[in-house]
Amino acid sequence: MALYGDLIHAFIFCLFFNGICAQLNTAVQLGSQVYSESSNLSLRGRNMLANGLGRTPAMGWNNYNHFNWSINEELIRATADAMVSTGLAALGYEYICIDDLWAEQSRNSEGYLVPRKDEFPSGMRALADYIHGKGLKFGIYSDAGYLTCQKQPGSLGHEEQDASTFASWGVDYLKYDNCNSNGIPPEKRYPAMRDALLKTGRPIYFALCEWGQDNPATWAPKVGNSWRTTGDITDNWNKITSIADETDKWAAYAGPGGWNDPDMLEVGNGALTTEEYRSH
C-alpha cells in the first residue's frame, strides 16, 4: 500500500502526557518523581471527573501533526489496520482520533453536525464500527467555541446535541479545542460539554485542548481526563524541550483519571535526529 510508509510516520507520535509514551499501570511517572496511584491521589487531594476513564495515560494516533487536514475514511481505516498489523495496538495504542475539518461547513436543518460527504461517504458510525472491529477506540474533534479553529461548526451552545451525536456514532474520545469563544473563559465553557457527555451514558474520554492559557491543571481535573498545558507542539527540538519545561511545574496535578497533556509526539515527521526522536 503506497499510504503505508506515511502511516508509520504518523503512527509513532502518540498522545502523550507529561513525557510518558509507554503503557503504565499502578505507577505513574510525574516529572522527576514516581508516585503510586494511591499516594498521588492523596497528594493531589482533589475531585476527579467521575467517568471511570483515563486510569492510565491515553495512547493512540491523531492525524494532525502529519496529515494536517488531509483526512478521509480510507486514511482512517488504513491507520486502524496498520495500528494492529505493526503491533502498536497490542502495546496499548488504542485510540484512532480524527482532528479538525471532518465536518461540513454548516449544520443540517435540524442543527446536527454532518460529516463531509466526499471524505466520509460511509458516515461516522460505519467508521467507528470498523475501528471497533479492530479492537480499537474511535476519537473525534470539536471545539468549545462557536467555530472550530478551521471555521467549522463549534459545539458552544450545542453541547447536549453534539454529545448525543458523538455517542450515537460510537465515539470513545473527544478532543475539545479552544478557538472562537468570544472571550468566554474556558472554566465556564468546558464543564457544559463534560456534563453533556456524562448525560449520554457512554464512556467518552474528554481531552481538553485549552492550550494551558488559564492554568487548567488547577481546575480541569474535575472537568476532563486530560488538559493541554501549552500551545501547539512543532517538529523542533527547542520547542519540544520548552514544552517539557513548561509542563514540569504541573506534575503534581496529574494522575489516574486526569493527565497533563503537552501535546502529541512528533516522532517520525522528519526534522529531528533519531536520538532526539527517541528522547522525545
Side-chain angles (χ1 to χ4, degrees), residues 13 55 61 83 88 145 147 164 170 179 186 198 202:
F13 63 80
R55 305 308 295 170
W61 177 91
M83 188 76 84
L88 288 171
L147 297 172
S164 178
C179 290
L198 291 172
R202 180 174 180 81

Coordinates of all heavy atoms in Angstrom, one line a residue, residues 13 55 61 83 88 145 147 164 170 179 186 198 202:
F13 N 3.9 9.0 16.6 CA 3.6 10.0 17.6 C 2.3 9.6 18.2 O 1.3 9.3 17.6 CB 3.6 11.5 17.1 CG 2.5 11.8 16.0 CD1 1.2 12.0 16.4 CD2 2.9 11.9 14.7 CE1 0.3 12.3 15.4 CE2 2.0 12.2 13.7 CZ 0.7 12.4 14.1
R55 N -7.4 6.0 33.6 CA -6.7 5.5 34.7 C -5.2 5.4 34.4 O -4.4 5.5 35.3 CB -7.2 4.1 35.1 CG -8.7 4.0 35.4 CD -9.1 5.1 36.4 NE -8.5 4.9 37.7 CZ -8.6 5.9 38.7 NH1 -9.2 7.0 38.5 NH2 -8.0 5.6 39.9
W61 N -3.4 7.5 18.1 CA -3.0 8.2 16.9 C -3.9 9.4 16.6 O -5.1 9.2 16.8 CB -3.0 7.2 15.8 CG -2.6 7.8 14.4 CD1 -1.4 7.9 13.8 CD2 -3.6 8.3 13.4 NE1 -1.5 8.4 12.5 CE2 -2.8 8.7 12.3 CE3 -5.0 8.5 13.4 CZ2 -3.4 9.2 11.1 CZ3 -5.6 9.0 12.3 CH2 -4.8 9.3 11.2
M83 N -2.3 0.1 12.7 CA -2.1 0.0 14.2 C -2.0 -1.4 14.7 O -1.3 -1.7 15.6 CB -3.2 0.8 14.8 CG -3.0 1.0 16.3 SD -1.8 2.3 16.7 CE -2.8 3.8 16.6
L88 N 1.4 -2.1 17.4 CA 1.2 -1.0 18.3 C -0.1 -1.1 19.1 O -0.1 -0.8 20.3 CB 1.2 0.3 17.5 CG 2.5 0.8 16.9 CD1 2.3 1.9 16.0 CD2 3.5 1.1 18.0
G145 N -16.1 26.5 21.2 CA -16.3 27.8 20.7 C -17.5 27.7 19.7 O -18.0 26.7 19.4
L147 N -17.1 28.4 16.5 CA -16.5 27.7 15.4 C -15.2 27.0 15.8 O -14.6 27.4 16.8 CB -16.1 28.8 14.3 CG -17.2 29.6 13.7 CD1 -16.6 30.7 12.8 CD2 -18.2 28.7 12.8
S164 N -24.7 13.9 22.2 CA -25.6 12.9 21.9 C -25.3 12.3 20.5 O -25.3 11.1 20.3 CB -27.1 13.4 21.9 OG -28.0 12.4 21.4
G170 N -20.8 6.2 18.3 CA -19.8 5.3 18.9 C -18.5 5.9 19.2 O -17.5 5.2 19.3
C179 N -10.9 27.5 20.2 CA -11.0 28.7 19.3 C -12.4 29.3 19.3 O -13.4 28.7 19.7 CB -10.6 28.2 17.9 SG -8.9 27.8 17.7
P186 N -12.6 29.6 29.6 CA -12.7 28.2 29.4 C -13.3 27.5 30.6 O -14.0 26.5 30.5 CB -11.3 27.7 29.2 CG -10.4 28.8 29.7 CD -11.2 30.1 29.5
L198 N -21.4 13.1 30.0 CA -21.8 12.2 31.1 C -23.3 11.8 30.9 O -23.7 10.7 31.2 CB -21.6 12.9 32.4 CG -20.1 13.0 32.9 CD1 -20.0 13.9 34.1 CD2 -19.5 11.7 33.1
R202 N -22.5 7.1 27.7 CA -21.5 6.4 27.0 C -20.1 6.9 27.6 O -19.9 8.1 27.7 CB -21.5 6.7 25.5 CG -20.4 6.0 24.7 CD -20.5 6.1 23.2 NE -19.4 5.4 22.6 CZ -19.3 4.1 22.4 NH1 -20.4 3.3 22.8 NH2 -18.3 3.5 21.8

